[in-house]
Amino acid sequence: MSAPAPGGEPRDLSGDELVRVLATLANPHRLRVVATLARERRYVSELARALGISRALLQVHLRKLEAAGLVTARVEVSEDGKAMKFYEVSPFAIELTPETVEAAERTLTPPGDGRGEETKGSQ
């Protein structure tokens, strides 16, 4: 299981990171956002129209995808001077095998300390 490091090179995900990424992708709206952005980057209003959801709901999902490192945003100024926030998919690859799950489990935050339990509110 790997995700891009800041320099673009793949790195292994910790157990907590893997849980966060999988929980984030477990939502059908967020899965559709990633699929749409995989085809081409889009600005928020255009993306909301393409997905048939409100901008407010889309913003909630985009924040979660950004927090999980799955999408990035950049503000650009259009020719008419309007600021537009564009989103695109961050390259990632996750290989799920019994062995990668076992390796991730070794790095999970121990139960009860509150740090590894982000999945409750992420859906």
Side-chain angles (χ1 to χ4, degrees):
M1 72 212 138
S2 64
E9 291 298 316
R11 64 173 180 78
D12 287 339
L13 294 174
S14 71
D16 293 338
E17 290 169 324
L18 180 61
V19 167
R20 184 174 53 249
V21 167
L22 293 177
T24 300
L25 289 173
N27 179 285
H29 287 299
R30 292 192 285 269
L31 199 63
R32 287 183 186 102
V33 169
V34 171
T36 301
L37 292 176
R39 291 186 280 277
E40 67 178 311
R41 73 186 192 116
R42 297 202 182 197
Y43 62 93
V44 175
S45 296
E46 179 185 39
L47 185 56
R49 283 191 301 273
L51 296 169
I53 61 175
S54 72
R55 286 181 51 187
L57 178 59
L58 177 59
Q59 291 287 0
V60 169
H61 292 301
L62 286 169
R63 278 193 294 275
K64 291 181 184 207
L65 288 164
E66 213 169 356
L70 299 171
V71 301
T72 57
R74 184 175 50 226
V75 176
E76 296 179 15
V77 180
S78 67
E79 291 179 14
D80 63 354
K82 182 179 177 184
M84 301 169 68
K85 195 169 191 177
F86 281 86
Y87 283 88
E88 61 189 356
V89 171
S90 299
F92 66 91
I94 300 170
E95 180 179 14
L96 283 177
T97 65
E99 294 77 21
T100 59
V101 170
E102 191 272 329
E105 184 273 335
R106 290 193 303 262
T107 65
L108 283 171
T109 301
D113 75 1
R115 291 186 300 162
E117 298 179 13
E118 298 103 3
T119 60
K120 288 181 184 173
S122 64
Q123 296 184 12

